[in-house]
Amino acid sequence: MSVTMPPQRPVEDDNPKKGGTRVSRGNAAARKAKERLTSPWATAAAMIIAMLWTIPTVALFMTSLVPGSRYRTDAWWTVMADGDLTFGNFNQVLFDSFGDNSTAPPLLEYVFNSIVVTVPAVVFPLVLGMMAAYAFAWIPFRGSAFLFVLIFALQVVPLQLALIPLLKLLGPENLGLAGQFSGVWIAHTIFALPLAVFLLHNFVSHIPREVLEAARVDGASHTQIFFRIIIPLSLPAIASLAIFQFLWVWNDLLVSAVFGSADTYPLTYPISNLAGDYGQYAYLVPPAAFISMIIPLIVFFSLQRYFVRGLLAGSSKG
């Protein structure tokens, strides 16, 4: 007499490391989320949001093509219907002296100043912030927790409160760096370091410990670990912070005006005074503003994939 055993349900292991139910449920949730984000409705909503987000930029560009004689009387679509749009405004604002002061340099010189100010003011906080983040995350030393909390607390100090003390420190009676590019770089680096250390530390501290321990077993020093493991794995966080810092410095006027001089003023300084005392040069403001947007847009789209990875880092496990 044979006994037929009923089919048994396979036993699922609850250990996520062995591919149990927790991992399967997490994968199912990830698939559902991916299906929602890639559905036709989500794609249509994203396209609508992108179009609405682009409208102000397109309108600014079209307004910058309106000639000065019709700037105050006609809208850009009326001028476009008449065929009077011109690129002469860009040529005038980039290569000619403008404004009430006929001896003022063209806008192109200020574009170079903005690049000279912005690039080091982005690189210095990233380099110092990465080194500090690695030290706080993986190099134990006495007082590290207190020092990290102190650096984090510096974020609540308003920037305006530190302008005068820092200006005295960089002034001619002390370091003598105020009015030079180096003074502007130091000021931007100091103001950016607390946030840079905090954000980069949160990312670096979540790197798996096993990776670093394996490198130490192979005889790697802290320098080798930093350059060969930490930096490559932290590229999304570095790119995200670089975008924010670049936009902050590029659009800054206060710090550059306080710690700089007429030879170091960035692009934002002439744009703020471009319209003239009575607004007679107001038609040059839209092309100047559009020019100031080009380089940040190039930087953002160049680092976009790293930026998205940085935003999604740590949002899921497994």
Side-chain angles (χ1 to χ4, degrees):
M1 180 177 179
S2 62
V3 179
T4 304
M5 300 296 294
Q8 296 183 356
R9 184 178 180 181
V11 179
E12 294 181 344
D13 192 357
D14 288 336
N15 190 350
K17 294 183 179 180
K18 297 181 180 180
T21 56
R22 295 180 183 178
V23 174
S24 61
R25 291 174 183 174
N27 293 335
R31 286 194 299 269
K32 291 181 180 179
K34 185 176 181 180
E35 291 175 357
R36 295 192 189 101
L37 293 176
T38 57
S39 64
W41 291 105
T43 303
M47 294 179 62
I48 293 174
I49 294 174
M51 292 176 60
L52 294 176
W53 196 270
T54 309
I55 287 175
T57 303
V58 175
L60 177 64
F61 175 72
M62 299 303 296
T63 304
S64 64
L65 302 179
V66 177
S69 58
R70 304 187 61 179
Y71 180 78
R72 295 183 177 276
T73 58
D74 300 313
W76 63 264
W77 51 85
T78 304
V79 180
M80 183 177 63
D82 297 337
D84 290 339
L85 296 178
T86 176
F87 284 92
N89 295 340
F90 286 94
N91 183 72
Q92 181 180 355
V93 79
L94 275 176
F95 304 107
D96 298 339
S97 297
F98 52 83
D100 296 329
N101 185 6
S102 59
T103 62
L107 201 70
L108 187 60
E109 181 174 330
Y110 292 100
V111 174
F112 291 139
N113 284 353
S114 289
I115 296 175
V116 173
V117 168
T118 304
V119 173
V122 172
V123 174
F124 293 159
L126 286 177
V127 174
L128 297 177
M130 275 300 301
M131 291 190 294
Y134 174 68
F136 282 119
W138 298 108
I139 302 179
F141 59 92
R142 182 178 298 179
S144 60
F146 173 77
L147 186 58
F148 180 75
V149 172
L150 181 62
I151 293 176
F152 175 74
L154 291 176
Q155 298 183 63
V156 304
V157 178
L159 181 148
Q160 292 79 3
L161 292 180
L163 290 178
I164 295 179
L166 187 58
L167 184 60
K168 290 183 177 180
L169 178 63
L170 299 178
E173 64 276 6
N174 291 306
L175 298 179
L177 298 177
Q180 305 177 21
F181 284 113
S182 56
V184 182
W185 298 337
I186 293 175
H188 278 300
T189 301
I190 291 175
F191 293 137
L193 270 178
L195 181 62
V197 173
F198 175 72
L199 293 180
L200 293 175
H201 171 269
N202 290 344
F203 193 93
V204 171
S205 62
H206 285 81
I207 294 177
R209 181 180 296 272
E210 293 79 7
V211 177
L212 277 69
E213 290 179 350
R216 293 193 186 100
V217 170
D218 293 337
S221 62
H222 283 297
T223 303
Q224 294 173 326
I225 293 175
F226 180 76
F227 285 102
R228 296 184 180 182
I229 297 178
I230 300 298
I231 291 182
L233 293 179
S234 303
L235 282 180
I238 294 174
S240 301
L241 183 60
I243 290 175
F244 286 119
Q245 178 68 4
F246 187 94
L247 294 177
W248 165 256
V249 177
W250 183 269
N251 295 322
D252 171 74
L253 175 61
L254 178 61
V255 175
S256 297
V258 171
F259 297 95
S261 62
D263 297 330
T264 64
Y265 284 151
L267 186 60
T268 52
Y269 183 82
I271 293 179
S272 63
N273 303 316
L274 186 58
D277 294 337
Y278 302 100
Q280 63 271 33
Y281 302 105
Y283 67 96
L284 295 178
V285 175
F290 188 81
I291 291 171
S292 69
M293 296 170 53
I294 294 177
I295 295 181
L297 285 176
I298 294 175
V299 172
F300 177 78
F301 286 115
S302 300
L303 302 177
Q304 182 182 14
R305 62 190 184 98
Y306 294 107
F307 178 70
V308 175
R309 287 170 55 188
L311 292 179
L312 297 179
S315 61
S316 60
K317 297 182 180 181

